[in-house]
Amino acid sequence: MAIRINGAEVEAPEDARVSLLDLLRERVHLTGTKVGCNQGACGACTVLVDGERVLSCLTLAAQVDGRSVTTIEGLAEAEALHPLQAAFIDHDGFQCGYCTPGQICAAAAMLAEVAAGAPSYVTADLTAERVPLTREEIRERMSGNLCRCGAHNGIVDAILQVAAERAA
Ligand code: FES
Ligand code: FES
């Protein structure tokens, strides 16, 4: 088997201890995915596995053998920015940019979770078919992704913009 990374097949490492984060950065040289805490606390290493967000520092490469991984490099289509990337620029959703790839991957998966009707800790009506995407919902759902520059307000605005565009 192989791991599909941004559409390209990559052999899973023989060493079963290699994390997905190390595979991406050190072996495939996709350095868009960032190393922050390397222990599951900051979200900087967030990538998508079969469309769902995972912390690549806590995921073994062997666990995603046969699955499809999307990193920030694979999110955009051709030369066009992903709508979340454009919205982060529009709303100053970053300063240093270090947390941004993880924020954007998490936001992409988060919007899919909301679209699928998955409630969060702060969802008032757990039986509602459509979860209203309030600022509080976004903050809760993005709480695993820390931004040391304090760009959280811009990040929330960017996500709201993309959600509104999709609803239009
Ligand atoms: S580097 Fe993975 S959560 Fe911080
Ligand atoms: S933009 Fe600097 S850590 Fe988030």
Side-chain angles (χ1 to χ4, degrees):
M1 288 238 264
I3 304 169
R4 203 161 179 79
I5 301 176
N6 299 335
E9 304 251 308
V10 173
E11 281 299 313
E14 282 184 18
D15 186 343
R17 299 167 298 179
V18 174
S19 71
L20 176 56
L21 177 58
D22 283 345
L23 173 72
L24 292 171
R25 286 184 56 87
E26 308 299 333
R27 303 191 181 206
V28 188
H29 308 299
L30 289 172
T31 53
T33 304
K34 300 302 185 218
V35 191
C37 62
N38 214 14
Q39 58 180 11
C42 75
C45 65
T46 305
V47 298
L48 305 178
V49 175
D50 294 336
E52 296 186 354
R53 48 182 163 173
V54 303
L55 298 174
S56 61
C57 70
L58 294 187
T59 304
L60 293 172
Q63 288 176 275
V64 299
D65 203 2
R67 301 179 69 186
S68 181
V69 176
T70 305
T71 69
I72 191 69
E73 292 94 340
L75 214 53
E77 291 203 6
E79 297 300 307
L81 291 177
H82 185 280
L84 280 163
Q85 291 174 310
F88 269 59
I89 294 171
D90 289 347
H91 293 278
D92 289 333
F94 56 90
Q95 287 184 39
C96 76
Y98 199 82
C99 72
T100 311
Q103 300 277 4
I104 289 177
C105 285
M110 185 274 280
L111 286 171
E113 291 159 16
V114 172
S120 80
Y121 179 70
V122 299
T123 304
D125 181 0
L126 298 181
T127 62
E129 269 185 39
R130 288 178 63 95
V131 178
L133 194 59
T134 61
R135 297 185 79 83
E136 190 185 15
E137 275 286 349
I138 294 174
R139 286 188 184 284
E140 166 62 21
R141 291 170 186 268
M142 294 295 291
S143 60
N145 289 77
L146 305 181
C147 175
R148 288 159 184 82
C149 298
H152 289 289
N153 285 334
I155 290 168
V156 172
D157 288 341
I159 295 170
L160 278 170
Q161 176 182 304
V162 173
E165 287 167 359
R166 289 184 179 174

